Amino acid sequence: MNALVPLPVLLPLCVTGLKLAIGPRLHRLQRFISIAVLGAVLVLSVLLMVAADRHGPLSVHLGDFAPPVGITLVADRLAGLMLTVSSAVTLLVLVYSLGQGMADRDDQAPVGVFHPAYLILVAGVSCTFLAGDLVNLYVGFEIMLVASFVLLTIGGTATRIRAGSTYVIISLFSSVLFLVAIAMTYAVAGTVNLAQLAQRLQEVPLGVRTLLEAMLLTVFAIKAAVFPLAAWLPDSYPTAPAPVTAVFAGLLTKVGVYSMLRTQTLLFPGHRLGDLLMLAALASMVVGILGAVAQTDLKRVLSFTLISHIGYMVFGIALAGHGSISGAIVYVAHHITVQTTLFLVAGLIERRDGTTELTRLGGLARAAPLLAVLFFVPAMNLAGIPPLSGFIGKLGLMRAGIDAGGAWAWALVAGSAATSLLTLYVMAKVWNLAFWRDAPPGVEEEGVVLESAEDDEPGDDEEGNDEEGGGATGSPEPTGSPEPTGSSEPTGSSEPTGSGRAAGSGKAAGSGSDLPVPAGAVVAAGFLGQSITTTKRLPWPMLAATGAAVALGLSYTVLGGPLTTFTQAAATELLARTPYIEAVLGR
């Protein structure tokens, strides 16, 4: 089984090279290969998780070079669970993106750009979970970040470039800080292998060890979006295409949380920065959820709740007890799935109505009952309504806080309860505005034409065209057919009405095109940021992938007993440290 450990990293990278050799023209083959490789990674992840649970951590030294020279990959219970959850989520998001690309008849963006970058992202995430040394952990981060730069700015629209610039600058800063921390660690310990560091750092002077711990925590806190290092997230994630936003929100921040969990338990047991982590956890929960309360755009609401609920995971890491570590692992697995699902639903809403602005939405519970169900279930799960998995994770963390005692622990318990109630309030607010109330005036149920997701640039005239009369600034010509992509011809009046600037003009708002917009159609943003005219009927692959993600989140509730047992065993293994060290270095 040890030979299987590198495959979740190598398989996506090798297939990416094959896909680039094939080229973007064989669209069906490209899609089949992408789904097949992520399906294979999922199967491999399950096998590694089961093997690690039965036989202990699995390790492999690439090139048969022993530490500290060789590259070590390790799959224990924690890494196996993270690989399994992330593989399942990335597979579902890929199916979702395929449905969006095929419905838009936009082959070049999803196949030629999105898929290679997406597979590289998956390889980077897998490398991070399996890394057995700090350098390989850094390499996994960089692989993931390079792919995320492409995905976040895909299409090169002005809005995405502006948001992507902040993300790139923050990411590069954290990468430089990570390199400095690695260099300092090697200077004091003579190795970067995690198992060897677990032994040697205990002999390092306390002040130096505390400095290394602070630097690594800062790096991982930036990547995990822990307050006050989370200001970049709400402005970066919502601008990307729906599949990209979903996988970023679900996975990229959890990679930082995983790294904090791994290093704090293995390298810095009994860490001195526990109180500081508790303060950061409490601030993340409270500030994040208050930010969500103030938002009126669904994507920004979810971005702030993401910051808030990262605080729950840091809460468990800060307490550093068996129950808190187990609860943190449960909550990481739960939050990866639920947060991804909610962003997928936000993408469906944006595709159907052309906006995620809550003040311009309404009546979705009656007009789209399936969409309402797909939102309601993960929203209640995020709020922690019993007996859903969000409640299981929060209950475990709060019990651990009560058992630990102390002023900070009780403050975190109170903050957790308040954050959970405010999360319920935020989800109820979204439900009331977007689903339960009637559609606001000016937004009809049929024949709605809304503005493109691309922001108008300065110098655009009142019709959304540039000064020379061309298309909207920064938006290429629509890629798809001028005909709607639904399965039936739309009916209604010849001139659509709605809230977009081009309503009544027979043009796609913001597109600068003279193509007629049929009644019953909306204008949404495609992968490349162009205006795509689509019918309100949502593509079935997008609905199926979102429904499967909802079911995956519910499975954590059905399998709550086995999941809790597994995470308790993983917490025992992490705190013991000996199984990990012996798997890498031998007895």
Side-chain angles (χ1 to χ4, degrees):
M1 295 298 293
N2 288 354
L4 299 180
V5 175
L7 292 183
V9 182
L10 296 178
L11 199 57
L13 290 177
C14 294
V15 171
T16 299
L18 175 63
K19 289 169 67 68
L20 292 175
I22 293 175
R25 295 184 179 181
L26 302 176
H27 306 308
R28 291 186 179 180
L29 179 61
Q30 291 272 11
R31 296 182 183 117
F32 173 78
I33 292 175
S34 297
I35 291 179
V37 68
L38 290 189
V41 170
L42 176 58
V43 172
L44 288 169
S45 301
V46 173
L47 290 175
L48 291 175
M49 180 178 66
V50 174
D53 185 43
R54 292 180 178 177
H55 308 296
L58 308 173
S59 67
V60 60
H61 306 303
L62 300 185
D64 202 22
F65 291 102
V69 178
I71 295 175
T72 301
L73 299 179
V74 186
D76 59 357
R77 287 185 177 91
L78 175 62
L81 178 62
M82 294 297 99
L83 276 175
T84 301
V85 174
S86 64
S87 300
V89 166
T90 51
L91 178 59
L92 293 176
V93 173
L94 178 65
V95 174
Y96 182 100
S97 68
L98 290 177
Q100 178 174 336
M102 289 186 292
D104 291 341
R105 300 180 185 178
D106 184 8
D107 292 313
Q108 291 298 320
V111 176
V113 178
F114 177 78
H115 283 204
Y118 191 77
L119 291 180
I120 293 174
L121 179 76
V122 172
V125 171
S126 300
C127 182
T128 303
F129 288 147
L130 295 172
D133 59 83
L134 288 178
V135 170
N136 208 40
L137 183 63
Y138 171 80
V139 170
F141 272 121
E142 292 309 299
I143 293 173
M144 179 182 66
L145 288 176
V146 168
S148 68
F149 296 160
V150 176
L151 294 172
L152 189 63
T153 59
I154 194 168
T157 62
T159 304
R160 292 177 186 173
I161 293 296
R162 284 195 298 268
S165 298
T166 302
Y167 176 77
V168 169
I169 292 171
I170 295 297
S171 298
L172 292 178
F173 170 77
S174 65
S175 296
V176 171
L177 186 60
F178 197 3
L179 277 178
V180 173
I182 292 173
M184 293 179 60
T185 302
Y186 185 78
V188 299
T191 183
V192 291
N193 183 275
L194 294 177
Q196 289 184 323
L197 285 173
Q199 297 176 329
R200 298 185 184 182
L201 283 179
Q202 305 310 308
E203 302 173 0
V204 173
L206 183 59
V208 176
R209 190 164 70 245
T210 303
L211 175 61
L212 295 178
E213 180 183 2
M215 292 185 68
L216 290 174
L217 279 177
T218 302
V219 171
F220 301 143
I222 292 173
K223 298 183 183 298
V226 178
F227 184 85
L229 304 174
W232 57 270
L233 190 147
D235 292 328
S236 299
Y237 283 7
T239 62
V244 176
T245 304
V247 78
F248 278 25
L251 279 181
L252 264 61
T253 52
K254 309 312 181 300
V255 170
V257 172
Y258 167 85
S259 300
M260 294 174 67
L261 186 57
R262 175 69 70 191
T263 55
Q264 289 300 108
T265 55
L266 185 60
L267 304 185
F268 307 106
H271 52 83
R272 301 182 63 203
L273 301 180
D275 290 347
L276 182 61
L277 277 178
M278 291 184 189
L279 175 61
L282 182 61
S284 296
M285 286 189 286
V286 174
V287 174
I289 199 60
L290 291 178
V293 169
Q295 303 304 311
T296 59
D297 181 86
L298 178 57
K299 286 186 177 181
R300 289 185 64 84
V301 167
L302 296 177
S303 296
F304 277 98
T305 60
L306 171 59
I307 296 172
S308 176
H309 286 250
I310 291 293
Y312 283 100
M313 306 167 210
V314 180
F315 174 13
I317 297 171
L319 289 180
H322 182 273
S324 66
I325 296 297
S326 174
I329 297 173
V330 170
Y331 208 81
V332 170
H334 146 81
H335 198 259
I336 288 174
T337 307
V338 170
Q339 195 75 40
T340 301
T341 306
L342 287 171
F343 272 102
L344 292 180
V345 175
L348 292 175
I349 293 174
E350 184 177 31
R351 184 176 186 85
R352 185 188 181 277
D353 289 87
T355 184
T356 53
E357 180 64 35
L358 297 175
T359 58
R360 298 168 63 184
L361 294 171
L364 289 178
R366 178 167 57 89
L370 177 58
L371 193 58
V373 172
L374 293 178
F375 172 82
F376 183 80
V377 174
M380 295 299 100
N381 204 346
L382 184 69
I385 300 299
L388 299 174
S389 58
F391 173 76
I392 296 173
K394 291 176 183 177
L395 179 63
L397 290 170
M398 294 174 72
R399 288 183 60 182
I402 293 172
D403 293 339
W408 276 115
W410 280 105
L412 280 169
V413 170
S416 299
T419 301
S420 185
L421 291 174
L422 287 174
T423 302
L424 179 60
Y425 165 76
V426 170
M427 294 298 104
K429 170 186 172 182
V430 173
W431 174 263
N432 181 58
L433 292 177
F435 293 90
W436 197 247
R437 67 168 182 171
D438 294 332
V443 179
E444 303 293 336
E445 290 190 7
E446 296 295 339
V448 178
V449 179
L450 297 174
E451 292 181 81
S452 166
E454 168 64 300
D455 292 337
D456 292 333
E457 291 293 313
D460 289 358
D461 63 16
E462 294 181 354
E463 295 298 324
N465 298 330
D466 58 24
E467 294 177 351
E468 297 179 1
T473 304
S475 296
E477 288 296 320
T479 304
S481 166
E483 296 297 327
T485 57
S487 59
S488 60
E489 290 294 326
T491 58
S493 61
S494 58
E495 290 190 326
T497 59
S499 59
R501 291 187 183 182
S505 66
K507 295 182 181 181
S511 67
S513 172
D514 291 331
L515 299 176
V517 178
V522 299
V523 175
F527 269 89
L528 291 179
Q530 75 274 32
S531 300
I532 301 291
T533 304
T534 63
T535 60
K536 282 186 164 186
R537 181 171 298 174
L538 298 171
W540 70 264
M542 299 175 70
L543 291 171
T546 307
V550 173
L552 179 62
L554 289 176
S555 70
Y556 300 153
T557 302
V558 177
L559 302 175
L563 177 62
T564 303
T565 301
F566 184 92
T567 58
Q568 288 175 347
T572 301
E573 187 176 70
L574 288 172
L575 294 175
R577 303 198 304 156
T578 303
Y580 186 97
I581 296 173
E582 290 184 348
V584 176
L585 303 179
R587 294 180 182 274

